[in-house]
Amino acid sequence: MEVKGDNIIFLLGAGASYEAKIPISYQMVNKIEELIMTNSKWKPFKDLYHYLKSSILYGDGIFGDFDKSFNIERLLIVISEIEKRDKNIMYPFIGTWNIRLTDLAGKNFENLNEFKELISIKLNEWVKLKDYNQANYYEGFTSLKNEIGNLLKVFTLNYDLCFERVVGKDQNIEVGFNGTTKEWHYSNFDSIESKDFFLYKLHGSINWYLTKDKIRKLMISDDPVETPELIFGIEHKMTSTDPYFFFSSEFRKQCLDNETKLLICIGYSFSDEYINNIISQAVLEKDETQILVVSSPSGNSKEIKKEISDKLNINEESIIVETTGAKKFLLETMNKDYLAQYIHDSKDAPF
């Protein structure tokens, strides 16, 4: 079957940028643990961090989930929820905060706020690259676009600028911001004329920021900003607020579109429940939809396929696994002919 841009969509996770030397979530947690042991600015938060981590793992254990990973995103999600205090929806049902938490978090939880701010600043640093030549393997997207000739749609959970800096060198990427005013608006995705890629950054970006006026407009900067607009875990921030509602709605729309035959997941750990639900629905509703998963070279294809099948509650036959890593896949494996073997109409599907 001929491959068209409408037949494929991409979903990028942290593993897509790992070979560009951007640490993934569990590595960021390791860095935090090193900082609280060695850095004078971080040491005051050691007990608070240990309390938060042990409480999160304890909660997993109550439900028998002893294998669930602890990473920086889960840590920030929990901190963000605790920060709400009396604004949390469960507040009327909670008699009091844990005494240990109130001791460590400080009056009005100022220690918790300071700790989160330190983490956010470091997170911003970790996903910046001084030399984007480290991410040159993203040029594989450019090569595929030139082969297919149609607009390609890429959804990413990453905050980094690897795609924009590498692919954007000679491709026109729409990210939703007006070229003149620098303000975000969904209507910027209405026209495909002269566009090579639509890039949907589901969790924000290190060069996005909110204005400080009453309207709070979302703007884009040419370079990373000090306090970027990011969210941690889309199921925890799934509101009617754009651009996140628009991006997640577009992801659902594209996954369920009859023209979409192949979802290519590069470096995605399948740990986002909302994203998983959308993917699962697409595969279950359209028997011709397949998932191509690009994982680490150290992974076991059979085990990965089984794990994803269990998480999404779909048949393993719908899952293709490439344990090449993002770099090799984008530069050596991915091309129009390779993808064509996994794209077919429902009437062509094997019995």
Side-chain angles (χ1 to χ4, degrees), residues 192-209:
I192 65 172
E193 187 178 351
S194 74
K195 306 290 174 56
D196 298 307
F197 289 91
F198 278 179
L199 180 64
Y200 305 89
K201 305 194 80 168
L202 290 155
H203 286 182
S205 181
I206 58 173
N207 65 334
W208 294 4
Y209 65 97

Side-chain angles (χ1 to χ4, degrees), residues 75-178:
L75 175 63
L76 287 167
I77 288 169
V78 167
I79 291 176
S80 297
E81 289 300 310
I82 296 174
E83 277 184 319
K84 294 178 182 178
R85 293 180 309 206
D86 55 342
K87 294 183 176 63
N88 192 301
I89 192 172
M90 295 303 296
Y91 179 76
F93 305 97
I94 300 172
T96 183
W97 288 105
N98 182 285
I99 295 175
R100 181 63 173 160
L101 172 61
T102 55
D103 286 344
L104 295 171
K107 185 179 180 181
N108 297 321
F109 288 5
E110 68 268 15
N111 294 342
L112 193 74
N113 302 146
E114 290 178 24
F115 185 44
K116 181 183 177 183
E117 185 176 344
L118 275 180
I119 296 173
S120 298
I121 291 170
K122 274 295 176 184
L123 176 64
N124 199 16
E125 291 178 10
W126 290 328
V127 299
K128 291 178 186 176
L129 286 180
K130 292 181 179 178
D131 181 9
Y132 280 92
N133 285 324
Q134 295 175 183
N136 271 352
Y137 58 90
Y138 271 72
E139 290 174 355
F141 288 104
T142 300
S143 299
L144 182 66
K145 166 62 179 63
N146 292 337
E147 273 195 281
I148 292 178
N150 304 129
L151 174 80
L152 294 178
K153 296 179 180 179
V154 178
F155 294 83
T156 179
L157 301 169
N158 300 334
Y159 315 119
D160 63 65
L161 301 176
C162 291
F163 197 95
E164 297 96 308
R165 292 293 190 263
V166 177
V167 182
K169 286 187 297 186
D170 52 12
Q171 300 286 303
N172 190 343
I173 304 172
E174 180 59 71
V175 291
F177 292 86
N178 183 283

